Amino acid sequence: MFVRTSWRRLAHRLRQSAVFVAFPLIACAQASSQTATASSGGGRPANVAAEPRLIVAITVDQMRYDYLERFAGQYQSGLARLIKGGAIYTNAYQDHANTETAPGHATILSGREPYRTGIVLNAIGVPDANAPLIGGGGPGASPFRFRGTALIDWMKAKDRRSRALSVSRKDRGAILPVGRAKESVFWYASNGNFTTSRYYSDTLPTWVKRFNARRIPQQYAGKAWEPLLPLSAYPEPDTVSVEDLGREPAFPHRLSADSAIAARDIIGFPWMDDLTVSFALDGVNAMRLGAGPAPDLLAVSLSTTDAVGHRFGMASRELHDQMLRLDRAIGTLIDSLYKLRDSSTIVISLTADHAVTLPPELAKAEPGAPPPMRVDLSDVAKEFRTAIAARGADSNAFDFEDAMLFVDKESLEKKGIKLDSLARAFADAAKREPGVYRADVFQTILKADTSDFIVRRWRHAVPPDYPVLVVVTLNHGSVWGSYATGIHGSPWDDDGHVPLVFYGPTIAPGRHAEFETVASLGPTLARLIGASPGEPVDGHVLTAAIR
Ligand SMILES: [Zn+2]
């Protein structure tokens, strides 16, 4: 989410590297033959509803599983419906160490962890200068780094006529759930318009232009965000000094009276989710999604929870209020879809791209454990860069951001720098710093026992051919940096434990406590329409969720 200068350089270098040459779509011939068998299996039992015509995959950006339980008594709309009638996996994880938005969204409908999707970090997720936005308002973006296939490809392998609409406030939240597919993919630009990039199209459809012409975001100028319910409904204190880094820790929070600034800043307010839902519904209408000859996919990623979680933290009154408003927004989405289409033909899933860690300032020390803290290894990295420059190498060939050390192997080796010794030296230096739990040479992670969940999540985080030398894990509860109140991105369960819910007439309601991963979401949705992944996946079909 915060692309720093050195990362832009690195992304540029990685772009040139053979590692990042776009993979062709894997042919789905195998999938077609499998699904032919599955769907010609002698008819369905009489009590099973018809095959869904519309799959609705909802992703909440930065939602912890425990938000489903913490506010359950106050949900009354969309989340209440999913909790009451859904198949809920209470112990489901984004099972990778890089718990950021891009890797999480790439996993959601691909069945695969980042080591297979190639989407490792936000900074080297979707940015693509060769794919500018139509009408501007943000950096170019495309899925050119995404490897392999996703649900919409598996659907199309079964029936070419299936279509997808994917929408989000964020480029990565809209792009990655549909992999490389050139479907209808739209996100929100800072000029107040929903748009897409030249990867997908050279023009915007009429319905998108019409939606933008209504200038809805600008109409929020000057509006104040106040708690939805009476204050007695919120047990959290409002003024907590760490919230919003002390700037505006208490309600109300007001959008600028300037309409252009309001259209830019609305991304931090609950109304952005309402706007995304309205936009998605306009698209469903205009595209006749779910009313076509083959099953369609609607992917909706709602991003305000991430903005509020970063600004105020997971324990804040603001986060509590955001969840109540998200419940209503999801309710509007589901109720409206049920008015537009036969509800017996719709299946819905809910998950998150990642969760979040409690701000260390608010954490209670665990007995015998080091106190959670904010960690910054940039000084350590700087010493190494200086030493590398002294050897005549380009200091930009060494790039440590947060948890991973990327290098330009060729340019270091040319100057006689041994990568093995560099990796060991940096890992040793990192381990000496306060807040660091472990620093692993990545090559040893590739050989280590994956029953250790930290090893497994790092193994899942990075393709073996990526130029990563060292991966650093902080103590439980510690976070990288001080740029925001709430921070995520670690291999700990705090950042990985997310909701995984299925809902609809072909879903068997119930609660399941066994360990599962979000990589199982795509294969399970595929099974509901008789499709299956066209390549090896990390997840599996959650048969207990299916009637
Ligand atoms: Zn975030």
Side-chain angles (χ1 to χ4, degrees):
M1 107 214 75
F2 295 91
V3 182
R4 292 165 224 193
T5 318
S6 57
W7 275 94
R8 288 206 197 92
R9 283 198 305 268
L10 179 71
H12 177 74
R13 277 205 310 282
L14 291 177
R15 195 189 157 85
Q16 312 305 321
S17 131
V19 166
F20 291 85
V21 168
F23 272 45
L25 273 187
I26 290 166
C28 291
Q30 187 201 352
S32 310
S33 60
Q34 282 168 2
T35 55
T37 329
S39 53
S40 61
R44 293 166 179 281
N47 63 340
V48 172
E51 191 174 86
R53 309 303 296 164
L54 183 62
I55 292 176
V56 182
I58 304 169
T59 305
V60 180
D61 199 320
Q62 196 189 112
M63 181 168 171
R64 291 168 57 101
Y65 168 76
D66 60 15
Y67 294 173
L68 277 187
E69 298 186 350
R70 186 170 142 201
F71 312 116
Q74 292 172 337
Y75 294 142
Q76 57 178 48
S77 189
L79 292 174
R81 184 198 281 271
L82 298 179
I83 291 168
K84 186 157 175 265
I88 304 178
Y89 286 82
T90 61
N91 202 22
Y93 297 83
Q94 289 278 10
D95 200 31
H96 43 257
N98 40 352
T99 42
E100 286 193 349
T101 296
H105 276 85
T107 294
I108 282 161
L109 296 180
S110 73
R112 295 172 299 127
E113 301 290 351
Y115 77 109
R116 279 182 156 144
T117 64
I119 301 298
V120 173
L121 287 171
N122 288 342
I124 44 174
V126 298
D128 181 1
N130 293 333
L133 305 198
I134 296 175
S142 85
F144 82 92
R145 295 181 191 85
F146 184 91
R147 301 171 172 184
T149 59
L151 176 64
I152 185 60
D153 302 308
W154 314 337
M155 292 168 71
K156 283 172 115 64
K158 180 163 186 276
D159 191 326
R160 293 301 308 167
R161 298 170 298 177
S162 286
R163 298 161 302 154
L165 168 63
S166 185
V167 303
S168 175
R169 180 214 111 188
K170 296 183 181 175
D171 50 8
R172 49 199 175 273
I175 291 171
L176 295 166
V178 295
R180 305 176 67 85
K182 292 191 174 177
E183 295 289 319
S184 298
V185 176
F186 301 101
W187 59 93
Y188 188 74
S190 63
N191 56 18
N193 290 328
F194 279 91
T195 190
T196 192
S197 79
R198 305 271 169 186
Y199 175 86
Y200 297 98
S201 178
D202 291 327
T203 55
L204 292 176
T206 307
W207 70 268
V208 174
K209 288 186 196 159
R210 282 209 184 112
F211 187 91
N212 290 335
R214 289 162 64 197
R215 292 175 56 83
I216 304 169
Q218 287 81 356
Q219 291 159 28
Y220 284 92
K223 193 171 164 167
W225 172 23
E226 306 262 17
L228 185 69
L229 301 181
L231 293 184
S232 58
Y234 303 85
E236 305 83 6
D238 197 9
T239 306
V240 177
S241 60
V242 70
E243 291 180 16
D244 195 22
L245 303 175
R247 288 175 295 225
E248 191 180 282
F251 280 112
H253 306 288
R254 194 177 295 276
L255 263 178
S256 167
D258 178 300
S259 62
I261 297 173
R264 183 197 68 195
D265 291 350
I266 196 173
I267 62 172
F269 289 76
W271 311 308
M272 187 67 229
D273 288 343
D274 301 331
L275 195 65
T276 309
V277 164
S278 310
F279 180 76
L281 288 167
D282 267 23
V284 169
N285 244 328
M287 293 172 63
R288 297 186 44 75
L289 213 69
D296 291 324
L297 171 65
L298 171 65
V300 181
S301 169
L302 300 170
S303 310
T304 295
T305 310
D306 186 64
V308 173
H310 278 302
R311 185 174 172 197
F312 302 102
M314 57 167 273
S316 63
R317 185 177 291 181
E318 284 83 355
L319 187 279
H320 181 163
D321 195 62
Q322 161 57 19
M323 291 309 297
L324 302 184
R325 290 169 183 273
L326 178 75
D327 166 53
R328 272 78 169 166
I330 292 174
T332 302
L333 175 65
I334 297 174
D335 292 344
S336 308
L337 288 171
Y338 284 177
K339 282 187 193 125
L340 291 171
R341 303 284 176 263
D342 175 356
S343 64
S344 74
T345 64
I346 298 178
V347 67
I348 298 166
S349 68
L350 175 88
T351 192
D353 53 350
H354 55 76
V356 71
T357 295
L358 185 68
E361 295 80 0
L362 303 178
K364 290 194 182 71
E366 295 166 36
M373 58 186 288
R374 294 180 186 267
V375 181
D376 178 0
L377 297 191
S378 56
D379 284 347
V380 178
K382 203 167 156 197
E383 282 169 29
F384 276 78
R385 289 160 69 94
T386 308
I388 283 164
R391 300 271 299 266
D394 177 2
S395 63
N396 293 327
F398 179 102
D399 224 327
F400 180 78
E401 279 292 329
D402 296 350
M404 293 185 222
L405 171 60
F406 280 81
V407 293
D408 182 338
K409 291 183 177 178
E410 213 181 302
S411 99
L412 293 177
E413 278 170 338
K414 238 190 261 168
K415 295 292 172 186
I417 295 168
K418 291 220 162 40
L419 297 178
D420 287 359
S421 357
L422 177 66
R424 277 197 304 275
F426 183 75
D428 289 344
K431 269 184 262 187
R432 286 193 292 270
E433 292 298 307
V436 173
Y437 178 60
R438 56 193 279 180
D440 295 271
V441 173
F442 189 60
Q443 286 302 316
T444 65
I445 289 278
L446 292 175
K447 293 173 207 138
D449 179 0
T450 54
S451 63
D452 173 343
F453 77 91
I454 289 182
V455 167
R456 184 182 71 245
R457 287 178 178 164
W458 276 117
R459 175 74 191 81
H460 283 170
V462 187
D465 57 345
Y466 263 49
V468 169
L469 281 197
V470 176
V471 294
V472 180
T473 305
L474 301 182
N475 290 329
H476 182 231
S478 289
V479 299
W480 289 104
S482 314
Y483 60 85
T485 299
I487 291 181
H488 55 86
S490 82
W492 296 99
D493 287 353
D494 306 63
D495 290 341
H497 190 189
V498 293
L500 181 59
V501 183
F502 299 86
Y503 181 88
T506 49
I507 299 300
R511 291 171 82 83
H512 306 276
E514 60 270 25
F515 175 90
E516 294 293 353
T517 76
V518 174
S520 291
L521 179 54
T524 303
L525 292 174
R527 172 66 62 86
L528 292 171
I529 54 153
S532 54
E535 63 183 305
V537 291
D538 296 299
H540 60 107
V541 177
L542 298 168
T543 48
I546 303 176
R547 256 188 222 277

